[in-house]
Short mmCIF file of all heavy atoms in Angstrom, two decimals:
data_model
loop_
_atom_site.label_atom_id
_atom_site.label_comp_id
_atom_site.label_asym_id
_atom_site.label_seq_id
_atom_site.Cartn_x
_atom_site.Cartn_y
_atom_site.Cartn_z
N LYS U 1 121.28 127.79 111.53
CA LYS U 1 122.37 127.07 111.95
C LYS U 1 123.43 128.17 112.55
O LYS U 1 123.98 127.91 113.64
CB LYS U 1 123.11 126.34 110.84
CG LYS U 1 124.41 125.77 111.20
CD LYS U 1 125.04 124.94 110.00
CE LYS U 1 126.52 124.49 110.26
NZ LYS U 1 127.00 123.75 109.09
N HIS U 2 123.56 129.30 111.90
CA HIS U 2 124.49 130.30 112.34
C HIS U 2 123.92 131.40 113.06
O HIS U 2 124.54 132.51 113.27
CB HIS U 2 125.32 130.78 111.17
CG HIS U 2 126.15 129.65 110.40
ND1 HIS U 2 127.29 129.21 110.97
CD2 HIS U 2 125.90 128.89 109.44
CE1 HIS U 2 127.72 128.21 110.30
NE2 HIS U 2 126.95 128.12 109.28
N GLU U 3 122.54 131.39 113.31
CA GLU U 3 121.83 132.46 113.92
C GLU U 3 121.92 133.80 113.33
O GLU U 3 122.30 134.86 113.92
CB GLU U 3 122.28 132.56 115.47
CG GLU U 3 122.00 131.34 116.28
CD GLU U 3 122.48 131.46 117.71
OE1 GLU U 3 123.08 132.51 118.03
OE2 GLU U 3 122.05 130.61 118.49
N ILE U 4 121.75 133.80 111.98
CA ILE U 4 121.81 134.99 111.18
C ILE U 4 120.32 135.50 110.85
O ILE U 4 119.46 134.66 110.42
CB ILE U 4 122.65 134.64 109.93
CG1 ILE U 4 124.02 134.29 110.33
CG2 ILE U 4 122.50 135.87 108.85
CD1 ILE U 4 124.82 133.94 109.11
N GLU U 5 120.26 136.75 110.90
CA GLU U 5 118.82 137.39 110.70
C GLU U 5 118.42 137.12 109.13
O GLU U 5 119.27 137.22 108.29
CB GLU U 5 118.87 138.81 111.00
CG GLU U 5 117.52 139.50 110.88
CD GLU U 5 117.46 140.92 111.30
OE1 GLU U 5 118.60 141.29 111.76
OE2 GLU U 5 116.48 141.61 111.20
N PHE U 6 117.07 136.90 109.05
CA PHE U 6 116.56 136.81 107.63
C PHE U 6 115.10 137.49 107.57
O PHE U 6 114.53 137.67 108.58
CB PHE U 6 116.47 135.31 107.19
CG PHE U 6 115.56 134.47 108.10
CD1 PHE U 6 114.15 134.38 107.80
CD2 PHE U 6 116.13 133.77 109.19
CE1 PHE U 6 113.46 133.61 108.70
CE2 PHE U 6 115.38 132.97 109.99
CZ PHE U 6 113.98 132.99 109.71
N GLN U 7 114.83 137.85 106.31
CA GLN U 7 113.51 138.39 106.13
C GLN U 7 112.59 137.40 105.52
O GLN U 7 113.10 136.46 104.85
CB GLN U 7 113.62 139.60 105.22
CG GLN U 7 114.61 140.69 105.70
CD GLN U 7 114.09 141.39 107.02
OE1 GLN U 7 112.78 141.59 107.12
NE2 GLN U 7 114.95 141.65 107.86
N ILE U 8 111.39 137.59 105.66
CA ILE U 8 110.38 136.61 105.09
C ILE U 8 109.43 137.38 104.15
O ILE U 8 109.24 138.61 104.29
CB ILE U 8 109.53 135.87 106.11
CG1 ILE U 8 108.72 136.83 106.96
CG2 ILE U 8 110.43 135.05 106.99
CD1 ILE U 8 107.62 136.15 107.82
N LYS U 9 108.94 136.75 103.14
CA LYS U 9 107.93 137.37 102.22
C LYS U 9 106.85 136.24 102.01
O LYS U 9 107.01 135.14 101.65
CB LYS U 9 108.51 137.65 100.91
CG LYS U 9 107.54 138.22 99.85
CD LYS U 9 108.30 138.42 98.56
CE LYS U 9 107.33 138.89 97.47
NZ LYS U 9 108.13 139.10 96.16
N GLU U 10 105.51 136.76 102.29
CA GLU U 10 104.43 135.89 102.13
C GLU U 10 103.87 136.03 100.79
O GLU U 10 103.65 137.14 100.26
CB GLU U 10 103.35 136.22 103.19
CG GLU U 10 103.58 135.58 104.64
CD GLU U 10 103.17 134.18 104.78
OE1 GLU U 10 102.64 133.62 103.82
OE2 GLU U 10 103.40 133.62 105.87
N MET U 11 103.42 134.81 100.21
CA MET U 11 102.85 134.88 98.87
C MET U 11 101.43 134.24 99.04
O MET U 11 101.24 133.37 99.90
CB MET U 11 103.64 134.29 97.74
CG MET U 11 104.96 135.01 97.50
SD MET U 11 105.85 134.29 96.18
CE MET U 11 104.83 134.73 94.73
N SER U 12 100.51 134.57 98.20
CA SER U 12 99.21 133.99 98.24
C SER U 12 98.91 133.07 96.98
O SER U 12 99.24 133.49 95.83
CB SER U 12 98.13 135.12 98.31
OG SER U 12 96.74 134.56 98.29
N PHE U 13 98.36 131.96 97.25
CA PHE U 13 98.12 130.99 96.26
C PHE U 13 96.73 130.35 96.51
O PHE U 13 96.32 130.03 97.61
CB PHE U 13 99.09 129.90 96.00
CG PHE U 13 100.49 130.39 95.48
CD1 PHE U 13 101.35 130.72 96.48
CD2 PHE U 13 100.71 130.44 94.21
CE1 PHE U 13 102.62 131.21 96.01
CE2 PHE U 13 101.93 130.99 93.73
CZ PHE U 13 102.85 131.26 94.77
N PRO U 14 95.84 130.03 95.50
CA PRO U 14 94.58 129.43 95.74
C PRO U 14 94.65 128.08 96.33
O PRO U 14 93.62 127.49 96.93
CB PRO U 14 93.87 129.51 94.46
CG PRO U 14 94.87 129.61 93.44
CD PRO U 14 96.02 130.34 94.07
N SER U 15 95.63 127.30 96.00
CA SER U 15 95.76 125.76 96.41
C SER U 15 97.17 125.45 96.45
O SER U 15 98.09 125.98 96.00
CB SER U 15 94.96 125.08 95.34
OG SER U 15 95.65 124.86 94.18
N ARG U 16 97.25 124.22 97.15
CA ARG U 16 98.62 123.70 97.34
C ARG U 16 99.21 123.23 96.01
O ARG U 16 100.42 123.38 95.79
CB ARG U 16 98.47 122.24 98.22
CG ARG U 16 99.73 121.71 98.45
CD ARG U 16 99.55 120.50 99.43
NE ARG U 16 100.72 119.77 99.79
CZ ARG U 16 101.57 120.03 100.68
NH1 ARG U 16 101.24 121.13 101.49
NH2 ARG U 16 102.63 119.50 101.03
N GLU U 17 98.30 122.83 94.93
CA GLU U 17 98.83 122.43 93.66
C GLU U 17 99.46 123.76 92.98
O GLU U 17 100.35 123.51 92.29
CB GLU U 17 97.59 121.84 92.86
CG GLU U 17 97.15 120.56 93.22
CD GLU U 17 96.24 120.52 94.44
OE1 GLU U 17 95.85 121.65 94.92
OE2 GLU U 17 95.94 119.47 94.96
N ASP U 18 98.81 124.78 93.21
CA ASP U 18 99.29 126.10 92.56
C ASP U 18 100.64 126.45 93.13
O ASP U 18 101.49 126.97 92.36
CB ASP U 18 98.30 127.19 92.77
CG ASP U 18 96.99 127.08 91.93
OD1 ASP U 18 97.18 127.19 90.73
OD2 ASP U 18 95.99 126.75 92.49
N VAL U 19 100.86 126.17 94.42
CA VAL U 19 102.10 126.43 95.08
C VAL U 19 103.17 125.53 94.29
O VAL U 19 104.33 125.94 94.12
CB VAL U 19 102.10 126.19 96.58
CG1 VAL U 19 103.46 126.24 97.15
CG2 VAL U 19 101.13 127.02 97.25
N MET U 20 102.94 124.28 94.17
CA MET U 20 103.84 123.36 93.68
C MET U 20 104.24 123.71 92.24
O MET U 20 105.40 123.60 91.82
CB MET U 20 103.32 121.99 93.81
CG MET U 20 103.18 121.49 95.27
SD MET U 20 102.23 119.87 95.38
CE MET U 20 103.64 118.73 95.06
N VAL U 21 103.31 124.12 91.43
CA VAL U 21 103.65 124.63 90.11
C VAL U 21 104.43 125.86 90.06
O VAL U 21 105.38 125.97 89.27
CB VAL U 21 102.26 124.83 89.33
CG1 VAL U 21 102.57 125.59 87.93
CG2 VAL U 21 101.46 123.57 89.04
N TRP U 22 104.13 126.72 91.09
CA TRP U 22 104.98 128.02 91.24
C TRP U 22 106.40 127.50 91.52
O TRP U 22 107.31 128.19 91.02
CB TRP U 22 104.41 128.89 92.19
CG TRP U 22 105.23 130.15 92.43
CD1 TRP U 22 105.06 131.36 91.78
CD2 TRP U 22 106.35 130.30 93.34
NE1 TRP U 22 106.05 132.26 92.22
CE2 TRP U 22 106.80 131.54 93.19
CE3 TRP U 22 106.93 129.50 94.32
CZ2 TRP U 22 107.86 132.12 93.88
CZ3 TRP U 22 108.04 130.05 95.05
CH2 TRP U 22 108.49 131.42 94.76
N ILE U 23 106.65 126.67 92.46
CA ILE U 23 107.87 126.25 92.81
C ILE U 23 108.82 125.70 91.67
O ILE U 23 109.96 126.03 91.48
CB ILE U 23 107.95 125.12 93.94
CG1 ILE U 23 107.27 125.70 95.20
CG2 ILE U 23 109.32 124.49 94.14
CD1 ILE U 23 107.09 124.72 96.36
N LEU U 24 108.08 124.87 90.82
CA LEU U 24 108.83 124.27 89.66
C LEU U 24 109.06 125.41 88.68
O LEU U 24 110.22 125.40 88.18
CB LEU U 24 107.90 123.18 89.02
CG LEU U 24 107.60 121.99 89.87
CD1 LEU U 24 106.69 121.11 89.27
CD2 LEU U 24 108.95 121.19 90.06
N ASN U 25 108.14 126.25 88.45
CA ASN U 25 108.34 127.42 87.50
C ASN U 25 109.59 128.23 87.99
O ASN U 25 110.45 128.72 87.21
CB ASN U 25 107.10 128.24 87.40
CG ASN U 25 106.18 127.81 86.37
OD1 ASN U 25 106.52 127.06 85.41
ND2 ASN U 25 104.95 128.01 86.54
N ASN U 26 109.55 128.57 89.21
CA ASN U 26 110.61 129.31 89.88
C ASN U 26 112.00 128.76 89.69
O ASN U 26 112.89 129.38 89.29
CB ASN U 26 110.21 129.57 91.37
CG ASN U 26 111.14 130.60 92.02
OD1 ASN U 26 111.42 131.64 91.50
ND2 ASN U 26 111.72 130.23 93.20
N GLN U 27 112.10 127.48 89.91
CA GLN U 27 113.30 126.84 89.78
C GLN U 27 113.72 126.61 88.40
O GLN U 27 114.95 126.86 87.93
CB GLN U 27 113.29 125.38 90.45
CG GLN U 27 113.06 125.39 91.87
CD GLN U 27 114.18 126.05 92.67
OE1 GLN U 27 115.42 125.85 92.36
NE2 GLN U 27 113.86 126.96 93.55
N LEU U 28 112.82 126.43 87.41
CA LEU U 28 113.18 126.32 85.97
C LEU U 28 113.75 127.70 85.46
O LEU U 28 114.45 127.75 84.51
CB LEU U 28 111.96 125.82 85.13
CG LEU U 28 111.57 124.38 85.32
CD1 LEU U 28 110.23 124.11 84.75
CD2 LEU U 28 112.65 123.48 84.52
N GLY U 29 113.25 128.80 86.09
CA GLY U 29 113.58 130.06 85.51
C GLY U 29 114.84 130.59 86.10
O GLY U 29 115.32 131.51 85.67
N ARG U 30 115.33 129.95 87.21
CA ARG U 30 116.47 130.58 87.83
C ARG U 30 117.66 129.70 88.20
O ARG U 30 118.80 130.16 88.33
CB ARG U 30 116.02 131.33 89.19
CG ARG U 30 115.56 130.30 90.20
CD ARG U 30 114.95 131.04 91.29
NE ARG U 30 115.84 131.38 92.42
CZ ARG U 30 115.54 131.80 93.63
NH1 ARG U 30 114.21 131.95 93.93
NH2 ARG U 30 116.48 131.91 94.58
N ARG U 31 117.47 128.44 88.40
CA ARG U 31 118.56 127.47 88.73
C ARG U 31 119.37 126.98 87.50
O ARG U 31 118.85 126.79 86.50
CB ARG U 31 117.96 126.26 89.50
CG ARG U 31 117.61 126.53 90.93
CD ARG U 31 118.83 126.60 91.72
NE ARG U 31 119.47 125.31 91.82
CZ ARG U 31 119.13 124.24 92.56
NH1 ARG U 31 118.15 124.24 93.41
NH2 ARG U 31 119.88 123.18 92.41
N ASN U 32 120.69 126.84 87.82
CA ASN U 32 121.58 126.37 86.77
C ASN U 32 121.56 124.76 86.77
O ASN U 32 122.47 124.26 87.31
CB ASN U 32 122.97 126.80 86.99
CG ASN U 32 123.90 126.49 85.81
OD1 ASN U 32 123.51 126.18 84.84
ND2 ASN U 32 125.14 126.28 86.18
N LEU U 33 120.41 124.23 86.38
CA LEU U 33 120.21 122.75 86.43
C LEU U 33 120.76 122.03 85.25
O LEU U 33 120.84 122.69 84.20
CB LEU U 33 118.73 122.48 86.60
CG LEU U 33 117.97 123.14 87.71
CD1 LEU U 33 116.43 122.83 87.62
CD2 LEU U 33 118.44 122.73 89.08
N ASN U 34 121.26 120.82 85.32
CA ASN U 34 121.49 120.08 84.15
C ASN U 34 120.29 119.76 83.36
O ASN U 34 119.14 119.82 83.81
CB ASN U 34 122.43 118.85 84.55
CG ASN U 34 121.71 117.90 85.27
OD1 ASN U 34 120.44 117.50 85.04
ND2 ASN U 34 122.37 117.25 86.22
N SER U 35 120.43 119.30 82.16
CA SER U 35 119.28 118.98 81.23
C SER U 35 118.36 118.01 81.86
O SER U 35 117.07 118.12 81.75
CB SER U 35 119.80 118.61 79.82
OG SER U 35 120.50 119.67 79.30
N ALA U 36 118.93 116.96 82.56
CA ALA U 36 118.05 115.81 83.09
C ALA U 36 117.12 116.43 84.10
O ALA U 36 115.90 116.12 84.24
CB ALA U 36 118.90 114.76 83.55
N MET U 37 117.71 117.25 84.98
CA MET U 37 116.96 117.84 86.05
C MET U 37 115.81 118.72 85.55
O MET U 37 114.68 118.71 85.97
CB MET U 37 117.77 118.75 87.01
CG MET U 37 118.79 117.81 87.82
SD MET U 37 119.73 118.92 88.87
CE MET U 37 120.68 117.64 89.81
N ARG U 38 116.21 119.43 84.49
CA ARG U 38 115.14 120.41 83.89
C ARG U 38 114.11 119.62 83.28
O ARG U 38 112.77 119.94 83.37
CB ARG U 38 115.90 121.27 82.95
CG ARG U 38 116.94 122.17 83.47
CD ARG U 38 117.41 123.14 82.36
NE ARG U 38 116.43 124.13 82.05
CZ ARG U 38 116.20 125.20 82.86
NH1 ARG U 38 117.02 125.43 83.84
NH2 ARG U 38 115.35 126.18 82.44
N ILE U 39 114.35 118.53 82.64
CA ILE U 39 113.35 117.64 82.00
C ILE U 39 112.44 117.05 83.08
O ILE U 39 111.23 117.07 82.92
CB ILE U 39 114.03 116.56 81.16
CG1 ILE U 39 114.80 117.17 79.87
CG2 ILE U 39 112.93 115.55 80.70
CD1 ILE U 39 115.51 116.22 79.19
N GLU U 40 113.08 116.56 84.12
CA GLU U 40 112.30 115.96 85.23
C GLU U 40 111.36 116.91 85.78
O GLU U 40 110.16 116.66 86.07
CB GLU U 40 113.17 115.36 86.33
CG GLU U 40 113.90 114.06 85.85
CD GLU U 40 112.94 112.82 85.74
OE1 GLU U 40 111.69 112.97 86.23
OE2 GLU U 40 113.34 111.86 85.12
N MET U 41 111.70 118.22 86.08
CA MET U 41 110.86 119.21 86.64
C MET U 41 109.79 119.58 85.73
O MET U 41 108.65 119.81 86.04
CB MET U 41 111.73 120.40 87.03
CG MET U 41 112.74 120.15 88.10
SD MET U 41 113.66 121.54 88.73
CE MET U 41 112.43 122.25 89.76
N ALA U 42 110.11 119.69 84.36
CA ALA U 42 109.05 119.97 83.33
C ALA U 42 108.01 118.93 83.25
O ALA U 42 106.84 119.20 83.18
CB ALA U 42 109.76 120.19 81.98
N LEU U 43 108.44 117.64 83.35
CA LEU U 43 107.53 116.50 83.31
C LEU U 43 106.70 116.49 84.48
O LEU U 43 105.51 116.23 84.42
CB LEU U 43 108.31 115.26 83.20
CG LEU U 43 109.05 114.85 81.94
CD1 LEU U 43 109.91 113.57 82.02
CD2 LEU U 43 108.04 114.57 80.74
N LEU U 44 107.31 116.80 85.71
CA LEU U 44 106.45 116.91 86.93
C LEU U 44 105.39 117.97 86.87
O LEU U 44 104.25 117.77 87.22
CB LEU U 44 107.38 117.03 88.04
CG LEU U 44 106.78 117.03 89.43
CD1 LEU U 44 106.03 115.70 89.73
CD2 LEU U 44 107.89 117.12 90.56
N LYS U 45 105.86 119.11 86.29
CA LYS U 45 104.90 120.24 86.23
C LYS U 45 103.72 119.90 85.24
O LYS U 45 102.63 120.21 85.59
CB LYS U 45 105.66 121.56 85.69
CG LYS U 45 104.69 122.68 85.47
CD LYS U 45 105.50 123.86 84.81
CE LYS U 45 104.57 124.87 84.37
NZ LYS U 45 105.05 125.99 83.63
#
């Protein structure tokens, strides 16, 4: 939106499902989520 430079980092995963599990783990480990959100993500994982 603001034409600001950014860097990228490529990661390797064996499957799409592994990517989705990684996304959930990543968010559960770093985001300040409320309890309901954390539970929903854990259930989804």
Side-chain angles (χ1 to χ4, degrees):
K1 176 182 176 182
H2 298 284
E3 298 184 349
I4 294 174
E5 184 176 357
F6 60 86
Q7 302 295 318
I8 64 169
K9 177 183 176 182
E10 281 276 357
M11 295 187 69
S12 177
F13 295 94
S15 70
R16 185 178 179 86
E17 290 81 6
D18 289 289
V19 175
M20 296 172 81
V21 170
W22 180 87
I23 291 172
L24 293 172
N25 277 336
N26 189 46
Q27 293 301 315
L28 283 168
R30 64 190 269 194
R31 281 284 298 277
N32 186 25
L33 306 172
N34 66 41
S35 296
M37 289 179 179
R38 299 185 71 84
I39 292 171
E40 285 292 344
M41 295 183 81
L43 289 171
L44 184 57
K45 177 187 170 184

